[in-house]
Amino acid sequence: MKILVCIKQVPGTSKIDVDPITGVLRRDGVDSKMNPFDLFAIETALRLKEQKGGTIQVISMGPPQAKDVIKEAFMMGVDEGALVSDRKFAGADVLATSYTISQGVRQLGDFDLILCGKQTTDGDTAQVGPEMAEYLGIPHIANVLSIVEVKDTSIFVEMDMADTIEVAEIQFPCLLTVEKDIFQPRLPSYKKKLSTKDREIKMITFKDFEDNDENKYGLSGSPTQVERIFPPSINMDRETWTGTSAELSFQIANKLKQLKFI
């Protein structure tokens, strides 16, 4: 089985700046980490490899420093990695991002299964995985809670449908986005860190793509624009009340009404 996992490097803190002109996050100089939801996708791939055999490759889109999350994936047991990186991709919305990554996937070959985390912590759209599948022309299932059974040509999964949990069979090749806690992610291995420190990471740039229409990438290829991004405000206001339980209940109720929570 050939498995591909999509991963992303995200800011490791909520204290980040926003470019006032483009409205995109300023990532330079900000501590970064692997998107936490992607760890569950990697673990799912590793479990499937242990069960069925095969290879696991990861792909990421981002600046050159995003190689760090690919190296982390190597330390968890992933076999190969590729980074899609070019200044032409900067400022992409979810649609342009999905198309860019799908073009990168085409450069890597065919896969039986593509896995994505449910969403990213810096965007929270949960749209990139399904949109990638549409661009690649393969079936997909989102919100996968568990793997029920893996056959030679298909996979059975449980998916979260909000009010119900449904079991579905999907044919390979396909794409799944997995929920957190589908499996407990393993920790990176120091031994694997040493053994993979010189492992090559394939670089994919704009000129490598089959489609070189610049209007489909980055800000130019983004039909949606974020009107405003701003860091959350920090409210340090505190009030201390004393009194009987009846008095405190009355004060809390009045405060909630003042704040228009009730």
Side-chain angles (χ1 to χ4, degrees):
M1 177 181 288
K2 290 187 64 177
I3 304 173
L4 178 69
V5 184
C6 300
I7 63 176
K8 185 181 182 182
Q9 187 181 58
V10 298
T13 175
S14 60
K15 298 178 180 179
I16 53 176
D17 293 326
V18 177
D19 189 310
I21 298 176
T22 63
V24 298
L25 302 180
R26 288 175 171 166
R27 301 176 186 269
D28 294 341
V30 177
D31 290 336
S32 299
K33 63 180 181 180
M34 186 184 298
N35 176 47
F37 289 96
D38 297 341
L39 295 171
F40 302 104
I42 291 176
E43 182 62 32
T44 302
L46 293 169
R47 299 288 183 104
L48 290 173
K49 179 182 175 181
E50 291 167 356
Q51 178 183 350
K52 304 295 289 186
T55 60
I56 304 172
Q57 189 165 356
V58 293
I59 185 171
S60 185
M61 172 182 165
Q65 58 264 33
K67 287 182 178 181
D68 290 343
V69 294
I70 297 177
K71 292 177 180 179
E72 183 179 346
F74 289 163
M75 292 190 294
M76 294 178 68
V78 167
D79 302 300
E80 300 176 63
L83 177 63
V84 178
S85 184
D86 199 298
R87 289 188 178 275
K88 294 182 185 296
F89 306 150
D93 69 354
V94 290
L95 193 68
T97 296
S98 304
Y99 188 70
T100 303
I101 300 175
S102 70
Q103 286 291 303
V105 172
R106 293 182 186 279
Q107 297 303 307
L108 299 177
D110 297 326
F111 294 90
D112 299 301
L113 178 63
I114 299 177
L115 295 171
C116 303
K118 176 184 177 181
Q119 61 196 51
T120 60
T121 56
D122 60 348
D124 287 329
T125 64
Q127 296 175 15
V128 171
E131 288 179 4
M132 277 179 53
E134 289 297 312
Y135 280 128
L136 292 169
I138 59 176
H140 60 87
I141 293 178
N143 305 106
V144 173
L145 294 170
S146 67
I147 305 298
V148 178
E149 183 182 3
V150 182
K151 295 187 174 182
D152 291 337
T153 60
S154 65
I155 184 169
F156 287 81
V157 299
E158 282 188 342
M159 53 182 174
D160 184 0
M161 298 297 289
D163 295 327
T164 62
I165 294 176
E166 297 186 11
V167 177
E169 179 184 13
I170 187 169
Q171 299 292 315
F172 297 131
C174 63
L175 182 147
L176 306 177
T177 71
V178 300
E179 291 276 0
K180 66 184 183 71
D181 299 330
I182 184 172
F183 293 112
Q184 178 63 41
R186 65 195 68 188
L187 295 173
S189 163
Y190 181 70
K191 288 185 178 180
K192 286 187 173 66
K193 178 180 180 179
L194 296 179
S195 63
T196 62
K197 62 184 179 66
D198 297 322
R199 183 174 293 175
E200 180 183 0
I201 296 174
K202 181 180 177 63
M203 296 297 297
I204 302 174
T205 63
F206 174 75
K207 62 181 175 56
D208 298 315
F209 287 172
E210 296 174 3
D211 186 349
N212 288 138
D213 183 352
E214 295 188 14
N215 292 320
K216 295 181 180 179
Y217 305 96
L219 284 173
S220 299
S222 301
T224 62
Q225 297 291 325
V226 176
E227 185 172 312
R228 182 182 175 216
I229 297 180
F230 56 93
S233 59
I234 299 175
N235 187 343
M236 299 299 291
D237 294 342
R238 299 289 186 273
E239 292 184 29
T240 302
W241 299 331
T242 58
T244 65
S245 58
E247 292 170 338
L248 292 174
S249 299
F250 182 76
Q251 286 178 297
I252 292 172
N254 278 341
K255 190 65 177 181
L256 292 174
K257 289 179 181 178
Q258 291 175 16
L259 297 173
K260 297 183 178 180
F261 290 150
I262 59 174

